[in-house]
Amino acid sequence: MNINIFENSDLGSQFVANRIGKVLAARNSVSRPTVLGLATGSTPIEVYSELIKKHRDEGLSFENVVTFNLDEYYPMEPSDIQSYYHFMHQHLFDSVDIQPDNVFIPNGKIHEHKVIKYCEQYDDKIAQVGGIDIQILGIGANGHIGFNEPGSELNSVTRLVELDEQTRKDAAATFNGIENVPTSAITMGINTILKAKEILIMAWGKRKAEIIKQCLFGEVTSTKPATFLQTHPNVSVVLDAEAASLLDLD
Ligand code: PGA
């Protein structure tokens, strides 16, 4: 994994947006689609702002971009302001020229009898468009990526999962109390994520320092799913100084 440390999260976000912008521009210039795996949460918000700026100021087009989001709460109405559907439209999609048909976000209102088939089709769709070119990730304080909570295995695929207590606590403020946080979600699996050709994982702030240290240098284990990233050949870790503060890099 190559580790990139920046003074602050704005600079780290610019680094990630620049990498996405470069790949996108190169592929646009030869009329090839770009497939992006996208994340929600506080971590990628500034990356999306930077991408919107590139669209507005530099004419970077998203017309040939296909996106797959990592996860969605379940059950969840897309129109709900806490949905990741809402988040993505608010922070990116409404401000760029992406085609609505090219946007894929797990459907939080799929009937429970159909959810297994639906998840299989989500992975099939990623494969059909040629796989994810760039996957961006945040990391949970418990080491989750997407909603692959502790216990998620290397071979896990897109599926319905139960949310970890820590994850629900972290979301409590957004939902006005832990009792309102859904107990389940649909998430891409570890296997789904690791099929991406390139992965950029970001972490900002002291709160992430300990888990970053463990996930970059600790034993690869399903109890800390982000450790599985150590097995991928093309991962860039993007940190601010605080998130990197416990790393011993000499
Ligand atoms: P955060 O969440 O970006 O809100 O810190 C990251 C995650 O849980 O994956």
Side-chain angles (χ1 to χ4, degrees), residues 8-9 20 23-24 95 99 130 158 161 184 187 189 205 208 229 231:
N8 57 51
S9 60
I20 295 171
V23 170
L24 187 44
S95 305
Q99 303 186 57
T158 299
V161 294
S184 301
T187 184
K208 300 288 173 74
L229 294 169
T231 69

Side-chain angles (χ1 to χ4, degrees), residues 45-61:
I45 289 179
E46 200 53 41
V47 174
Y48 297 145
S49 303
E50 290 292 329
L51 288 174
I52 291 168
K53 269 194 225 157
K54 287 181 189 296
H55 171 66
R56 282 204 193 129
D57 304 343
E58 298 165 28
L60 183 71
S61 176

Side-chain angles (χ1 to χ4, degrees), residues 194-222:
L194 292 182
K195 280 185 180 161
K197 292 161 197 145
E198 175 175 353
I199 296 175
L200 296 160
I201 180 163
M202 298 167 269
W204 321 132
K206 251 201 162 56
R207 200 169 68 87
K208 300 288 173 74
E210 181 59 39
I211 195 69
I212 280 294
K213 180 181 166 190
Q214 292 175 22
C215 289
L216 299 193
F217 298 110
E219 179 201 354
V220 176
T221 162
S222 63

Side-chain angles (χ1 to χ4, degrees), residues 23-212:
V23 170
L24 187 44
R27 296 178 73 94
N28 282 349
S29 72
V30 290
S31 301
R32 288 176 68 190
T34 305
V35 184
L36 299 178
L38 299 180
T40 50
S42 59
T43 304
I45 289 179
E46 200 53 41
V47 174
Y48 297 145
S49 303
E50 290 292 329
L51 288 174
I52 291 168
K53 269 194 225 157
K54 287 181 189 296
H55 171 66
R56 282 204 193 129
D57 304 343
E58 298 165 28
L60 183 71
S61 176
F62 287 72
E63 215 186 327
N64 292 319
V65 172
V66 182
T67 62
F68 290 90
N69 262 83
L70 281 169
D71 45 20
E72 178 62 283
Y73 291 109
Y74 185 87
M76 178 57 74
E77 288 289 328
S79 57
D80 196 315
I81 56 161
Q82 278 118 1
S83 74
Y84 286 161
Y85 179 96
H86 177 83
F87 177 102
M88 287 309 304
H89 285 79
Q90 180 188 14
H91 290 289
L92 181 65
F93 298 148
D94 288 352
S95 305
V96 294
D97 59 342
I98 194 159
Q99 303 186 57
D101 286 352
N102 286 347
V103 166
F104 297 90
I105 301 172
N107 180 354
K109 58 181 239 185
I110 195 83
H111 193 284
E112 61 182 310
H113 292 135
K114 295 189 179 159
V115 74
I116 292 178
K117 185 90 202 146
Y118 174 81
C119 290
E120 266 176 43
Q121 287 168 344
Y122 199 79
D123 283 343
D124 288 349
K125 185 73 198 170
I126 296 173
Q128 272 165 30
V129 298
I132 291 173
D133 295 305
I134 300 184
Q135 174 71 56
I136 65 169
L137 297 173
I139 183 170
N142 63 359
H144 75 196
I145 46 175
F147 278 136
N148 290 287
E149 303 289 23
S152 298
E153 297 294 342
L154 183 59
N155 62 1
S156 57
V157 292
T158 299
R159 67 205 187 286
L160 183 64
V161 294
E162 246 180 65
L163 293 178
D164 192 58
E165 203 52 25
Q166 175 73 50
T167 298
R168 295 185 66 241
K169 271 187 204 151
D170 288 346
T174 316
F175 282 86
N176 287 319
I178 193 167
E179 65 281 6
N180 303 319
V181 182
T183 54
S184 301
I186 295 174
T187 184
M188 277 188 200
I190 298 290
N191 180 262
T192 316
I193 292 169
L194 292 182
K195 280 185 180 161
K197 292 161 197 145
E198 175 175 353
I199 296 175
L200 296 160
I201 180 163
M202 298 167 269
W204 321 132
K206 251 201 162 56
R207 200 169 68 87
K208 300 288 173 74
E210 181 59 39
I211 195 69
I212 280 294

